Amino acid sequence: MRHVLGSEQFCREELDKLFKLTDHIRENERSYSSAIADKVVATIFYEPSTRTRLSFEAAILRLGGKNISTENALEMSSAIKGETLEDTIRVMDAYSDCIVMRHPDKDSAERAAKVSNAPILNAGAGSGEHPTQALLDTYTIYKNKGRLDNISVAILGDLLYGRTIHSLIKMLSLYENVTIYGLSIPQLALGQEYIDYITERGTKYIKVDKITDLPKDLDVIYQTRTQTERFEKEGIKVEEIVIDKTAMDHFGDDLIVLHPLPRRHEICTEVDNDPRAKYFEQSLNGMYVRMGLLYEVLVNGK
Ligand code: NCD
């Protein structure tokens, strides 16, 4: 594995290998504590981040690697002086062994990869993709359900601009007999290109209008934040679909509720103590999956 640009590049065997490696690192963490001791990893974030940047940085440090970082690269790097992304990446490539990057442009990861020998790990590209989030989401579903074939997943919230959704449903379409239910306001519905992509791969896509239209034996709810920062100017009126205790009562015990976080009010805090709420476990899994990914790219990939 060299660059990680989008979910499309993965096959089932690679995911299986990565999840096994992640588990092995998790169970034997001390033996990995200097696994990448000779590596410098750059984390360059042109958009806000809490979990993605800090879980990557924690993963780098826990594997004994070194980190150089800019957390507000739009203002605090030479981007503000007019430097192109390509020029910045060329320089970072010389300074580091791997570049973790988040950027507002959908094609930013591909552009960076064109000029970088160091692997580029796409940590979120505008409203396009967020493949490392899909890795930890898929891993979390696998850990909780024990399978990835024969699952039903409802995606809720902002299906139009939510990059985590785009990467996740592409990844899940690798598996057999997957049904995705989409629930959003019409203005934030899933783009046709994503529906086409997954249906061509045998995944069913079913639009629903309300939570009670979802099957009671649903496996996963994947709730998302409305990405207001991406459409403020368009004046879309947002009525959020909220998961509260009453909504949870509709479903059985085998459901799990995920959210990439940060959440605002789309999952009420009263749901946090429900054993089916797995979003904090999910964000912890992110650190371990990113340890696995860094190991795969920097040690196995060499
Ligand atoms: C998401 C993102 O940045 O796309 N957060 C994350 O990486 N965990 C979701 C969001 O910002 O709503």
Side-chain angles (χ1 to χ4, degrees):
M1 201 184 306
R2 206 166 147 245
H3 304 297
V4 174
L5 305 180
S7 284
E8 286 180 33
Q9 74 186 72
F10 290 96
C11 63
R12 289 177 66 131
E13 291 68 32
E14 268 173 316
L15 296 182
D16 195 44
K17 186 173 165 223
L18 176 67
F19 297 164
K20 287 205 172 91
L21 173 62
T22 299
D23 284 340
H24 195 262
I25 292 175
R26 210 166 179 165
E27 287 150 21
N28 304 276
E29 213 186 311
R30 287 180 69 184
S31 65
Y32 285 88
S33 62
S34 52
I36 58 166
D38 57 340
K39 306 291 186 203
V40 174
V41 181
T43 45
I44 311 176
F45 280 65
Y46 292 83
E47 283 190 337
S49 171
T50 305
R51 272 148 291 268
T52 305
R53 186 172 65 84
L54 294 175
S55 66
F56 259 116
E57 293 181 1
I60 295 161
L61 297 175
R62 280 169 184 260
L63 292 173
K66 294 163 189 82
N67 175 225
I68 52 174
S69 179
T70 169
E71 63 177 283
N72 183 0
L74 265 191
E75 285 167 28
M76 300 304 283
S77 75
S78 288
I80 195 131
K81 300 182 188 170
E83 184 171 57
T84 63
L85 175 65
E86 283 79 358
D87 281 1
T88 305
I89 294 298
R90 279 191 186 99
V91 175
M92 289 305 129
D93 176 22
Y95 293 168
S96 60
D97 299 291
C98 175
I99 300 169
V100 180
M101 188 187 81
R102 169 171 290 186
H103 191 280
D105 293 346
K106 273 183 168 182
D107 63 350
S108 51
E110 284 77 12
R111 282 167 53 203
K114 277 203 181 111
V115 296
S116 180
N117 288 313
I120 300 289
L121 307 187
N122 176 4
S127 59
E129 281 225 35
H130 192 350
T132 72
Q133 178 75 39
L135 292 172
L136 74 96
D137 295 340
T138 304
Y139 173 82
T140 303
I141 297 172
Y142 180 63
K143 293 303 277 183
N144 278 283
K145 306 294 298 185
R147 64 177 200 278
L148 290 161
D149 294 312
N150 308 312
I151 56 167
S152 54
V153 179
I155 50 174
L156 270 61
D158 189 342
L159 314 184
L160 181 61
Y161 296 103
R163 57 192 171 197
T164 67
I165 296 260
H166 301 158
S167 289
L168 176 62
I169 61 171
K170 281 182 165 183
M171 201 166 274
L172 292 179
S173 73
L174 285 171
Y175 297 91
E176 301 297 321
N177 191 23
V178 173
T179 304
I180 307 283
Y181 294 90
L183 172 53
S184 72
I185 60 167
Q187 298 93 319
L188 298 177
L190 186 63
Q192 191 59 42
E193 72 269 32
Y194 296 105
I195 299 175
D196 291 345
Y197 181 95
I198 63 169
T199 49
E200 276 161 22
R201 283 159 184 78
T203 293
K204 269 197 240 72
Y205 186 70
I206 300 171
K207 260 176 76 170
V208 297
D209 296 325
K210 50 187 189 309
I211 285 175
T212 47
D213 290 344
L214 292 167
K216 288 187 183 297
D217 62 351
L218 184 75
D219 291 308
V220 182
I221 285 184
Y222 191 93
Q223 173 69 298
T224 60
R225 177 181 68 89
T226 304
Q227 312 280 298
T228 25
E229 69 276 20
R230 303 208 188 276
F231 58 84
E232 262 153 359
K233 291 178 211 92
E234 293 166 36
I236 295 178
K237 191 178 166 301
V238 176
E239 296 149 50
E240 260 154 8
I241 294 138
V242 174
I243 303 287
D244 56 12
K245 245 173 146 297
T246 314
M248 292 296 284
D249 287 343
H250 175 71
F251 301 99
D253 290 343
D254 291 339
L255 176 80
I256 60 169
V257 181
L258 303 181
H259 190 307
L261 304 177
R263 75 158 152 202
R264 287 184 301 210
H265 27 257
E266 64 277 4
I267 299 183
C268 295
T269 51
E270 66 188 20
V271 176
D272 295 357
N273 290 329
D274 188 308
R276 297 170 292 178
K278 301 290 182 190
Y279 26 93
F280 292 113
E281 175 185 316
Q282 180 189 1
S283 61
L284 174 63
N285 287 344
M287 183 182 75
Y288 288 111
V289 169
R290 286 171 174 134
M291 287 173 82
L293 186 62
L294 287 165
Y295 190 92
E296 183 59 33
V297 168
L298 288 167
V299 183
N300 290 342
K302 283 286 152 190

